[in-house]
Amino acid sequence: MIPTATLPPRMVEEIVSRAERPDFDRWAEQVTRCGHCSHPVRLRGRVEHRSATGGRITYSTDAEPDRVLMIRCGNRRAAVCPSCSYEYAGDMWQLLYAGGAGGRKGVPDTIRSHPLVFATLTAPSFGPVHTTRADRSGPARCRPTRGTPRLCQHGRPTWCTAIHNEDDPRLGQPICPDCYDYPAHIAFNWHAPELWRRFTIALRRALAQQSGLTAAEFTRRCRVSFVKVAEFQRRGVVHFHALIRLDGPGEDYQPPQLSIDSTELAETIRQVAAHVRLTVAIPEGPDLVLRFGEQLDTQTVNGGPAGELTPEHAARYIAKYATKSAEDFGLGERRITPEALPLLHVPHHVDQLVRVAWQLGDHTAYQGLRRWVHMIGFRGHFASKSRRYSTTLGAIRGERRAYRQRQPAEQVRELLDENTDTTLVVSHWEFAGVGYLTPGDTALALSAAARARERRQAARDAA
Ligand SMILES: [Zn+2]
Ligand SMILES: [Zn+2]
Ligand SMILES: [Zn+2]
């Protein structure tokens, strides 16, 4: 139970009065059923079964605690709702795994024979930052001096001999903030979706060329399917993780009519990613040529000589990033202005990024950027896929919803002992609010969530 001694008296009253109500068990059941969501949506309404002989209300929230039904908020982000984001990651995993291993969700298991590569496309350097490194003997110094130690033009060291811990607040911060190219950093985040689009176009072109095909011939034989997630690195720049697969042209996941294997696909991805460029304007400066960073990584999945990465692993990796966002930078989840910065107590680096993004947003080439400064200028989707990569998240959610709804519907039927001549089900719902009714309810729900997590963990440990 909750240690009530540490709670404000008002909240204790709310908890006690909730627990004393005769419908407490039903309330607790609702909390469990919406997965201990942090901000459930409260709905009011009824379900009516209509048949030729008349209509009958088979469910109404009038009989529920507070006359509402709570359903999940469905937020993807772990910082907003741990429960819903856990569920989202699970759905995402299902989608990714189906696209890699097949044999489920309408994807045939022959998909395992298609060339499939897990690729990480990073951002280039905008100036040295504090980082964790490792060499053969273990954790290594951040930026050791090479040759004669040299100060930058601002009189600061260009080296750092520290071995940073994972929780060191200096990680991701520039060695010299004045040397750091803030406008280029923001320009990269802002234009990253376009750079990715160029990459996919160039990849198709390169694969066609490699097979000695024209673009039209290539399209008749092969489709490049992918799913990608954007991840924020500590320095506040996005990079992409993607699963890229070659399919046949139809809708039914046929193999591509090309003789390219996973290893060759990986090599082509590396070459294309290294060469793709995007020239963008920088106010009061020369144009900037954007590109991906040198640290390109590709791994074949499902085969190829070095195919150690399984579809399970690749799916887990990408699903994990799909629930993250820019929240680690302390900027919150809503639009902000530079005036709000002093209240947020963010590190100097993040403060600078926001200010520079705001300034850039004043120029026509960056119109709309000011709405995305809390995302450090990234306006793309955190997770996206091409149309035929796998099933959709919507389809997975629909399946689960149908599964969940079976339970209450069956209960209702038993209660009414009805014969099933029902022809039409009509639902009327209205929105009653978001979140739990009182802080006391929230505390109860969160403590129940913590107990559920402990039980899950214990079950996992025992397995
Ligand atoms: Zn939720
Ligand atoms: Zn350092
Ligand atoms: Zn400097």
Side-chain angles (χ1 to χ4, degrees):
M1 211 48 217
I2 309 169
T4 46
T6 59
L7 298 177
R10 175 80 195 269
M11 203 190 273
V12 176
E13 267 170 43
E14 289 163 357
I15 292 171
V16 171
S17 88
R18 171 64 72 192
E20 280 176 354
R21 284 171 54 160
D23 60 6
F24 174 75
D25 286 347
R26 175 58 191 161
W27 181 84
E29 194 187 329
Q30 277 205 28
V31 174
T32 309
R33 191 160 279 164
C34 72
H36 307 99
C37 168
S38 306
H39 317 275
V41 177
R42 302 194 306 272
L43 295 177
R44 193 160 287 156
R46 61 183 192 276
V47 178
E48 237 178 290
H49 281 216
R50 285 185 196 160
S51 68
T53 52
R56 185 174 42 177
I57 292 173
T58 52
Y59 171 82
S60 164
T61 51
D62 284 351
E64 296 284 3
D66 312 311
R67 298 180 53 226
V68 293
L69 184 69
M70 292 186 273
I71 61 161
R72 279 184 175 281
C73 73
N75 199 294
R76 166 185 74 78
R77 294 164 56 195
V80 178
C81 182
S83 166
C84 292
S85 110
Y86 182 82
E87 186 173 82
Y88 177 91
D91 289 354
M92 192 72 185
W93 187 86
Q94 295 274 356
L95 179 158
L96 294 159
Y97 182 63
R104 54 183 62 223
K105 312 279 173 207
V107 184
D109 54 13
T110 49
I111 206 85
R112 278 184 182 258
S113 69
H114 298 206
L116 178 64
V117 168
F118 179 63
T120 298
L121 276 58
T122 58
S125 169
F126 305 107
V129 296
H130 294 282
T131 184
T132 53
R133 290 192 318 117
D135 56 23
R136 261 175 247 114
S137 56
R141 293 181 193 287
C142 172
R143 296 190 74 82
T145 45
R146 288 193 193 89
T148 325
R150 186 180 63 82
L151 297 178
C152 76
Q153 54 170 312
H154 310 99
R156 297 197 182 96
T158 55
W159 63 91
C160 171
T161 52
I163 297 173
H164 299 293
N165 288 326
E166 276 301 321
D167 56 358
D168 191 326
R170 283 176 295 176
L171 288 174
Q173 311 284 308
I175 304 259
C176 172
D178 294 315
C179 286
Y180 196 83
D181 193 347
Y182 283 97
H185 176 139
I186 296 296
F188 184 90
N189 280 356
W190 181 243
H191 295 290
E194 176 60 16
L195 190 62
W196 167 266
R197 199 182 69 87
R198 294 231 175 163
F199 161 75
T200 60
I201 294 168
L203 178 62
R204 279 185 202 102
R205 209 171 285 157
L207 289 167
Q209 211 167 48
Q210 211 172 311
S211 317
L213 300 171
T214 65
E217 282 165 345
F218 179 79
T219 315
R220 280 196 291 276
R221 286 160 176 258
C222 179
R223 187 205 324 258
V224 180
S225 300
F226 66 85
V227 56
K228 80 170 201 304
V229 291
E231 182 204 355
F232 267 102
Q233 291 182 300
R234 274 194 179 109
R235 56 184 168 140
V237 74
V238 281
H239 69 198
F240 295 121
H241 301 285
L243 276 164
I244 302 172
R245 192 185 66 208
L246 302 186
D247 298 335
E251 295 291 310
D252 50 352
Y253 304 103
Q254 291 299 307
Q257 298 155 32
L258 294 179
S259 56
I260 289 179
D261 64 17
S262 291
T263 311
E264 289 160 339
L265 174 60
E267 177 55 34
T268 311
I269 290 170
R270 272 197 302 278
Q271 282 173 12
V272 171
H275 285 103
V276 68
R277 298 285 186 274
L278 175 66
T279 305
V280 301
I282 286 285
E284 291 139 39
D287 283 356
L288 179 69
V289 180
L290 293 177
R291 52 161 298 164
F292 287 113
E294 313 261 306
Q295 286 175 320
L296 289 165
D297 184 57
T298 56
Q299 289 184 70
T300 56
V301 186
N302 271 345
E308 297 142 53
L309 193 69
T310 63
E312 288 90 334
H313 282 128
R316 196 174 314 150
Y317 201 65
I318 293 197
K320 187 180 82 184
Y321 287 118
T323 62
K324 292 194 174 161
S325 191
E327 58 239 7
D328 291 348
F329 302 106
L331 293 172
E333 48 175 313
R334 287 179 213 292
R335 288 167 64 170
I336 52 166
T337 63
E339 286 75 52
L341 277 172
L343 305 168
L344 297 172
H345 305 288
V346 293
H348 179 261
H349 180 54
V350 177
D351 183 283
Q352 280 304 104
L353 286 167
V354 168
R355 287 180 196 284
V356 171
W358 192 260
Q359 283 161 17
L360 277 177
D362 203 21
H363 296 82
T364 40
Y366 294 85
Q367 210 174 10
L369 171 57
R370 285 184 172 180
R371 284 190 285 135
W372 297 96
V373 293
H374 63 297
M375 290 290 171
I376 315 183
F378 180 65
R379 60 183 146 162
H381 291 291
F382 274 85
S384 66
K385 69 179 188 68
S386 60
R387 201 169 53 85
R388 289 305 286 174
Y389 177 77
S390 172
T391 180
T392 62
L393 279 178
I396 291 174
R397 286 193 196 116
E399 262 173 45
R400 198 186 40 244
R401 217 174 289 135
Y403 171 76
R404 271 203 202 122
Q405 280 169 358
R406 217 172 298 147
Q407 270 179 310
E410 272 160 16
Q411 284 168 6
V412 167
R413 204 165 298 138
E414 272 170 34
L415 281 172
L416 296 168
D417 191 29
E418 67 174 1
N419 44 27
T420 48
D421 64 341
T422 311
T423 51
L424 186 63
V425 181
V426 187
S427 311
H428 312 263
W429 294 104
E430 66 185 71
F431 176 76
V434 177
Y436 295 98
L437 270 184
T438 66
D441 280 359
T442 307
L444 270 174
L446 293 185
S447 83
R451 285 198 304 277
R453 266 198 304 278
E454 278 164 23
R455 275 197 302 273
R456 255 206 317 265
Q457 188 59 48
R460 258 204 298 270
D461 292 347

